[in-house]
Amino acid sequence: MFRPLHSLQLRVTAALALFVAVMAALIVLTLFAINERLEHDLLDGMVAHELSELEAEYPIEGKAALPNSATIKGFVVEPDQLQSLPEPLQPLPLHTSGANLSYGGRSYRVASTVIDGKRAFLAYDTTAIESRQSVFRAALIAAVVIVFALALPLGIWIARLSLKPINQLADHVARLEPGAPGPALAERFDGYEVGAIARAFDRFMQRLDGFVERERSFTADASHELRTPLAVIQGALEVLHQDPRFADSAPLTRIERASTQMADLIESLLFLARDEDRSISSEQQCRADLVVGELLDAYKPMLGKSRVEVAALDACPLAAPRIAVVIVFGNLLRNAMRHGGPHIRVTLADGVLSVADDGPGMTAEQRRQAFERGFRHGRGAGLGLGLYLVQRVAQRYDWQLRMTSRPHEGTRVEVRFAPLGRTV
């Protein structure tokens, strides 16, 4: 249950790492572009300055004013003598600034003008500068590649390292059982950022353990305190039945029916409240067909005008205790007796228990609410717990419920039991 969060965190971290890598690359490229621009502006300024000095000194000093050093060279020729210049300089316009040319295996930044009717050219050697720029450009490209190559795995590694205590806490929390002994989580994660979460879980588990203990105490007390008076009532009813004066007494029959329903309800609620280990030993398995047959015999005195037809009652061993079948079939049969018509049809075949009646049926909205706790409908509505208890038991043992019902056409509820070998 915690793995989707872990996967999401890794994806977010990877995206952030990629974003950081892209931003770093953009910053590097921007700095490189700024550096290129500054160098070009600096070179153009130096060339323009040298050219302005040449314009000022050439009319006075003549060819002696021409610069001729390792980095800068000057040329002044008549317009008809351009062929004496290096070939890349010849087609330049009269006034040029910031032109990049190459000749003689060297690179130059060139500017041109006109001095006393003559063509003047100034070339600044940028070979060494461009060589350094090439090295710088290669270093920047390598840096960008390294950043991209390391950002993602490094980000994921950091994320996993950061998530390690969280994952350990999640694993410990997933194994927690109310009331089970064990060291406090805070002791395991003391010194980690998740220590506060661990302490909060410890406080919650303490409250939960207290609640579970109170519930277990109540279940044990209720099991004794509620069953004892019911046993007394049922014993008294047996004695009264032996008295000819009360043998066919309607009030006595109603009391017996109510005590039986109360005993079944108490047994059902206590069974669901225990929430014990759902693994069933071979001694705790049951035969659903035998339990259904026993309940049909037990409910015969309470059928009244209803008539039960058993269409099929195939052998059906279950990996569930007898009380589970008692809760399910008992509630379905009582619902059919209370809300259905005079005819009830019971079928147990191919691992499917079906209880159908020919009563008034239900609307689509009523079917959607039928298994909700407290939902009551129709004449003789009870506490609204019958189908809710059926659903609780079915969920516990992985049984599938299906209800079909239409107004004026009756209701059918099917329970498909889980195969005997399935672990629930």
Side-chain angles (χ1 to χ4, degrees):
M1 62 181 294
F2 299 98
R3 295 305 175 191
L5 178 62
H6 178 265
S7 178
L8 174 63
Q9 184 70 23
L10 286 179
R11 289 197 296 270
V12 171
T13 303
L16 288 175
L18 185 60
F19 173 76
V20 170
V22 170
M23 293 303 298
L26 290 177
I27 292 173
V28 168
L29 293 177
T30 301
L31 291 176
F32 180 77
I34 293 174
N35 179 70
E36 288 270 313
R37 181 67 180 177
L38 291 175
E39 282 190 352
H40 289 168
D41 290 345
L42 180 61
L43 287 174
D44 290 341
M46 293 174 59
V47 172
H49 175 71
E50 292 291 338
L51 188 61
S52 63
E53 287 188 350
L54 180 62
E55 287 178 314
E57 296 175 359
Y58 186 82
I60 301 173
E61 300 180 8
K63 291 185 178 181
L66 293 176
N68 187 17
S69 65
T71 57
I72 190 167
K73 297 182 182 298
F75 306 90
V76 176
V77 297
E78 297 291 341
D80 57 353
Q81 296 179 348
L82 291 177
Q83 65 273 12
S84 63
L85 295 174
E87 185 175 349
L89 298 178
Q90 297 175 14
L92 288 178
L94 295 178
H95 299 281
T96 303
S97 62
N100 289 318
L101 299 176
S102 298
Y103 63 90
R106 311 288 292 181
S107 298
Y108 295 91
R109 190 78 169 177
V110 179
S112 64
T113 188
V114 176
I115 301 175
D116 294 339
K118 299 180 181 180
R119 299 290 305 279
F121 300 87
L122 200 68
Y124 191 94
D125 192 338
T126 60
T127 304
I129 295 175
E130 290 190 356
S131 178
R132 288 193 298 270
Q133 284 182 337
S134 297
V135 174
F136 182 57
R137 187 182 299 111
L140 287 179
I141 293 174
V144 169
V145 171
I146 292 173
V147 168
F148 270 98
L150 293 181
L152 185 59
L154 187 60
I156 292 176
W157 177 77
I158 293 175
R160 286 177 175 170
L161 189 64
S162 302
L163 285 172
K164 186 176 180 180
I166 299 177
N167 291 331
Q168 291 177 347
L169 177 61
D171 291 336
H172 284 297
V173 171
R175 292 194 296 268
L176 287 178
E177 291 291 341
L185 292 176
E187 297 178 4
R188 297 174 179 267
F189 298 96
D190 187 24
Y192 290 96
E193 290 79 0
V194 296
I197 301 177
R199 287 189 291 273
F201 266 114
D202 286 339
R203 291 192 295 270
F204 171 75
M205 289 303 298
Q206 289 174 359
R207 295 194 298 271
L208 184 60
D209 289 343
F211 171 77
V212 170
E213 182 59 34
R214 290 191 298 272
E215 184 183 30
R216 287 175 177 171
S217 299
F218 167 78
T219 302
D221 294 341
S223 177
H224 178 267
E225 298 298 333
L226 295 178
R227 285 171 176 167
T228 299
L230 279 173
V232 173
I233 293 173
Q234 291 171 348
L237 287 172
E238 292 178 3
V239 173
L240 290 174
H241 272 304
Q242 296 174 4
D243 191 328
R245 294 174 300 172
F246 304 106
D248 299 321
S249 172
L252 197 61
T253 301
R254 288 198 298 270
I255 294 173
E256 183 178 20
R257 182 185 301 117
S259 65
T260 301
Q261 292 176 354
M262 183 60 67
D264 290 342
L265 179 59
I266 291 174
E267 190 68 26
S268 301
L269 294 176
L270 292 177
F271 170 74
L272 293 174
R274 284 193 292 267
D275 196 23
E276 295 168 348
D277 187 1
R278 302 179 187 181
S279 59
I280 303 298
S281 64
S282 58
E283 293 79 8
Q284 294 173 298
Q285 296 175 2
C286 72
R287 286 270 301 273
D289 54 303
L290 299 180
V291 178
V292 169
E294 293 172 7
L295 289 177
L296 288 172
D297 291 337
Y299 276 85
K300 279 181 181 179
M302 294 180 283
L303 288 175
K305 297 181 180 180
S306 300
R307 184 173 62 88
V308 177
E309 174 192 351
V310 180
L313 203 58
D314 297 347
C316 183
L318 294 181
R322 179 183 181 278
I323 181 60
V325 182
V326 170
I327 295 172
V328 169
F329 180 66
N331 280 287
L332 293 181
L333 185 58
R334 282 195 297 273
N335 267 10
M337 292 163 51
R338 182 180 294 122
H339 304 293
H343 182 71
I344 301 172
R345 184 181 177 89
V346 176
T347 306
L348 178 56
D350 299 325
V352 178
L353 173 64
S354 170
V355 179
D357 63 64
D358 56 353
M362 291 187 290
T363 64
E365 180 63 24
Q366 290 168 345
R367 287 198 308 273
R368 281 193 291 271
Q369 301 178 53
F371 292 97
E372 294 180 2
R373 185 176 183 274
F375 176 73
R376 291 177 287 184
H377 164 66
R379 58 181 177 83
L383 299 175
L385 293 176
L387 292 179
Y388 169 73
L389 294 176
V390 170
Q391 180 177 250
R392 286 281 306 276
V393 174
Q395 290 173 344
R396 175 178 288 198
Y397 294 103
D398 198 23
W399 298 344
Q400 298 178 14
L401 285 177
R402 181 173 178 266
M403 171 183 283
T404 55
S405 182
R406 292 182 180 180
H408 313 298
E409 296 184 11
T411 301
R412 175 192 294 272
V413 180
E414 294 180 353
V415 182
R416 182 175 295 276
F417 296 119
L420 184 61
R422 180 182 296 179
T423 301
V424 295

